[in-house]
Amino acid sequence: MSAEQKPAEQKPAAQSLKVAVVLGSTRDGRFGPVVADWLLGHLEARADLAVDRIDLVETPLPTTFPSFGGELAPGDAELLAAVSPRLEAADAFVFVTPEYNHSFPAPLKNAIDWHNRQWHGKPVGFVSYGGLSGGLRAVEQLRVVMAELNAATIRNTVSFHGAAQCFDADGKAKDPAADAAAKTMIDQLVWWAQALRDARRSRPFAA
């Protein structure tokens, strides 16, 4: 076969980006799963993403930290093993959070604080919900926390004001603007996730 007759080489399909969706509220009767399931519908519709739903109710983490350099309490390693490798494997994160007292829930802060390198050099998007503020003050505080952990937060967010009235009985957002906002946030998240994954592969992140 001549050079002109050789078939073109097939380029390998791009590896899917892994996105971990973290549900920040563990309160009884929480509205978070409705919001998270709606978001997951958008994420899972994309062929370039592999999605992992991390619910802090299903995977509770310890609340007492060992002393610096100390040993974990019995059973704590098993609890962490259900979450830590999944955060490590993620290329990007989306936090689904309500607002408690102008901030975000303690279980979410606890999950963040148990980890460090898992956040480094990765993008974080936000979907918030609540009353009049729509959880936006929780997001603003999360931006400060995640900057300390060398993560890159996405500018555009999705916010539901009066969240209980924002979804129909099937869990779909009543306002099409919410779906448009989700697309914009996800598009930005994917851009950063791809860019930062490529950067981490070419040169490991140094905190």
Side-chain angles (χ1 to χ4, degrees), residues 126-137:
F126 303 102
V127 177
S128 64
Y129 60 96
L132 292 176
S133 71
L136 289 174
R137 290 171 293 203

Side-chain angles (χ1 to χ4, degrees), residues 66-115:
S67 60
F68 287 107
E71 296 292 329
L72 290 170
D76 285 0
E78 288 78 7
L79 294 175
L80 288 163
V83 175
S84 301
R86 296 160 69 183
L87 298 180
E88 182 76 33
D91 297 302
F93 308 95
V94 181
F95 292 161
V96 177
T97 182
E99 180 179 315
Y100 294 169
N101 300 318
H102 286 218
S103 187
F104 53 97
L108 180 54
K109 183 63 162 64
N110 187 56
I112 292 169
D113 289 348
W114 269 110
H115 301 93

Side-chain angles (χ1 to χ4, degrees), residues 140-162:
E140 290 309 303
Q141 294 207 14
L142 278 165
R143 291 188 188 281
V144 176
V145 172
M146 298 315 295
E148 176 64 17
L149 289 163
N150 297 294
T153 59
I154 303 304
R155 177 189 181 277
N156 284 59
T157 64
V158 184
S159 176
F160 291 100
H161 305 252

Side-chain angles (χ1 to χ4, degrees), residues 2-192:
S2 67
E4 290 80 4
Q5 294 174 312
K6 288 181 180 179
E9 291 185 5
Q10 293 289 329
K11 292 184 177 180
Q15 182 181 352
S16 295
L17 292 162
K18 298 176 182 177
V19 180
V21 175
V22 182
L23 279 73
S25 173
T26 61
R27 175 178 290 186
D28 287 343
R30 63 194 172 138
F31 194 71
V34 174
V35 181
D37 288 345
W38 168 83
L39 172 66
L40 287 166
H42 283 277
L43 292 168
E44 291 170 348
R46 295 187 56 133
D48 55 345
L49 301 180
V51 186
D52 184 14
R53 183 182 189 269
I54 299 177
D55 188 337
L56 298 178
V57 168
E58 298 171 358
T59 54
L61 293 172
T63 57
T64 300
F65 288 77
S67 60
F68 287 107
E71 296 292 329
L72 290 170
D76 285 0
E78 288 78 7
L79 294 175
L80 288 163
V83 175
S84 301
R86 296 160 69 183
L87 298 180
E88 182 76 33
D91 297 302
F93 308 95
V94 181
F95 292 161
V96 177
T97 182
E99 180 179 315
Y100 294 169
N101 300 318
H102 286 218
S103 187
F104 53 97
L108 180 54
K109 183 63 162 64
N110 187 56
I112 292 169
D113 289 348
W114 269 110
H115 301 93
N116 193 303
R117 72 175 189 277
Q118 289 86 353
W119 312 115
H120 290 181
K122 298 178 183 180
V124 184
F126 303 102
V127 177
S128 64
Y129 60 96
L132 292 176
S133 71
L136 289 174
R137 290 171 293 203
V139 170
E140 290 309 303
Q141 294 207 14
L142 278 165
R143 291 188 188 281
V144 176
V145 172
M146 298 315 295
E148 176 64 17
L149 289 163
N150 297 294
T153 59
I154 303 304
R155 177 189 181 277
N156 284 59
T157 64
V158 184
S159 176
F160 291 100
H161 305 252
Q165 287 73 50
C166 293
F167 294 84
D168 64 20
D170 296 321
K172 296 180 179 179
K174 294 179 180 178
D175 187 351
D179 297 305
K183 181 182 184 306
T184 298
M185 185 272 289
I186 293 169
D187 286 345
Q188 291 183 358
L189 185 76
V190 168
W191 190 95
W192 280 102

